[in-house]
């Protein structure tokens, strides 16, 4: 009976190891094919617990430095978008957009969405989130705004020319008749 119990335990352990390997493989596939950065922050210890590998693709910097020192993230944030505590600004705000300066000097717009992870007694212990590059979307919005502004300027210019030509045509016509 003791041997049967040990075999059952060993069999269960092998099954759990296989399930863990499958879970890790699925996780790796997801992380390699999703553009967004996933992160987890411990608010009690004021530190990052996890940053997905896509962080390096997005920022050009390795995440290890920032996991050890989340305040170092502020150096990535564009100077015009910096304000206050990095944990509060970047992680605890439910939906935030800000710019970063990549390692290569390029500027990218990021949208950060976060949500609290609570204990059964409703105490917030962590925040998890997704950060995505929205630079293309922001640039499209800027171009659309510029195009709309240009159209409005053209309409105003057409209206001015129409009104000016009408206002000048009336006195010129009466002068021509008198001549």
């Amino acid at each position: 009976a003791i041997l049967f119990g040990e075999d059952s335990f060993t069999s269960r352990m092998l099954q759990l190891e296989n399930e863990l390997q499958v879970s890790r493989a699925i996780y790796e596939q997801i992380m390699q094919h999703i553009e967004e950065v996933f992160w987890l922050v411990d608010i009690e210890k004021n530190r990052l617990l996890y940053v997905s590998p896509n962080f390096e693709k997005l920022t050009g910097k390795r995440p290890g430095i920032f996991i050890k020192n989340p305040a170092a993230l502020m150096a990535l944030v564009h100077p015009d978008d910096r304000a206050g505590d990095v944990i509060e600004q970047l992680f605890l705000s439910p939906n935030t957009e800000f710019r970063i300066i990549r390692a290569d000097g390029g500027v990218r717009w990021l949208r950060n969405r976060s949500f609290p992870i609570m204990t059964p007694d409703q105490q917030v212990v962590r925040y998890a989130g997704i950060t995505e590059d929205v630079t293309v979307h922001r640039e499209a919005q800027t171009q659309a705004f510029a195009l709309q502004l240009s159209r409005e300027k053209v309409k105003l210019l057409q209206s001015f020319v129409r009104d000016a030509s009408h206002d000048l045509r009336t006195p010129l016509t009466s002068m021509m008749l008198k001549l």
Side-chain angles (χ1 to χ4, degrees), residues 10 15 19 24 36 39 46 49 56 88 94 97 111 116 133 148 155 159 162 165 167 177 179:
T10 304
Q15 181 185 1
E19 289 176 11
R24 282 185 181 160
E36 290 83 6
W39 51 265
N46 203 30
L49 297 174
E56 190 169 352
E88 200 169 301
E97 286 191 13
R111 177 181 297 133
D133 187 343
Q148 184 64 29
K155 283 181 183 177
S159 176
R162 184 184 64 243
S165 70
D167 290 347
L177 287 172
L179 286 174

Side-chain angles (χ1 to χ4, degrees), residues 83-126:
D85 178 34
V86 67
I87 297 291
E88 200 169 301
Q89 181 183 354
L90 300 181
F91 299 119
L92 305 187
S93 301
N95 195 358
T96 281
E97 286 191 13
F98 57 95
R99 291 168 289 179
I100 62 163
I101 301 174
R102 289 180 36 88
D104 63 8
V107 175
R108 307 299 293 173
W109 275 97
L110 303 182
R111 177 181 297 133
N112 193 54
R113 292 171 289 164
S114 66
F115 53 92
I117 297 175
M118 297 184 197
T119 61
D121 62 342
Q122 302 300 308
Q123 299 271 336
V124 176
V125 291
R126 294 188 177 120

Side-chain angles (χ1 to χ4, degrees), residues 29-40:
Q29 289 172 354
I30 290 170
M31 288 300 112
Q32 289 174 5
H33 292 94
I34 291 181
E35 298 284 323
E36 290 83 6
V37 174
F38 296 96
W39 51 265
L40 186 64

Side-chain angles (χ1 to χ4, degrees), residues 27-171:
Y27 165 78
E28 288 298 323
Q29 289 172 354
I30 290 170
M31 288 300 112
Q32 289 174 5
H33 292 94
I34 291 181
E35 298 284 323
E36 290 83 6
V37 174
F38 296 96
W39 51 265
L40 186 64
V41 67
D42 183 335
I43 60 170
E44 291 174 1
K45 295 181 181 174
N46 203 30
R47 70 181 187 101
L48 281 167
L49 297 174
Y50 174 78
V51 178
S52 68
N54 294 335
F55 178 85
E56 190 169 352
K57 289 180 195 173
L58 186 63
T59 64
K61 297 196 177 199
R62 296 184 156 267
I65 298 165
F66 305 103
I67 289 175
K68 293 176 185 170
N69 180 13
L73 282 168
M74 246 340 159
L76 285 176
V77 177
H78 191 280
D80 294 342
D81 296 340
R82 292 180 192 162
D85 178 34
V86 67
I87 297 291
E88 200 169 301
Q89 181 183 354
L90 300 181
F91 299 119
L92 305 187
S93 301
N95 195 358
T96 281
E97 286 191 13
F98 57 95
R99 291 168 289 179
I100 62 163
I101 301 174
R102 289 180 36 88
D104 63 8
V107 175
R108 307 299 293 173
W109 275 97
L110 303 182
R111 177 181 297 133
N112 193 54
R113 292 171 289 164
S114 66
F115 53 92
I117 297 175
M118 297 184 197
T119 61
D121 62 342
Q122 302 300 308
Q123 299 271 336
V124 176
V125 291
R126 294 188 177 120
Y127 273 81
I130 301 168
T131 302
E132 64 181 316
D133 187 343
V134 293
T135 304
V136 172
H137 178 70
R138 278 291 200 134
E139 288 172 351
Q141 280 182 327
T142 302
Q143 289 175 352
F145 179 74
L147 180 61
Q148 184 64 29
L149 187 61
S150 293
R151 286 180 180 158
E152 290 297 321
K153 287 179 182 178
V154 167
K155 283 181 183 177
L156 283 173
L157 186 58
Q158 287 174 337
S159 176
F160 173 75
V161 168
R162 184 184 64 243
D163 292 346
S165 70
H166 179 270
D167 290 347
L168 288 174
R169 195 176 307 138
T170 304

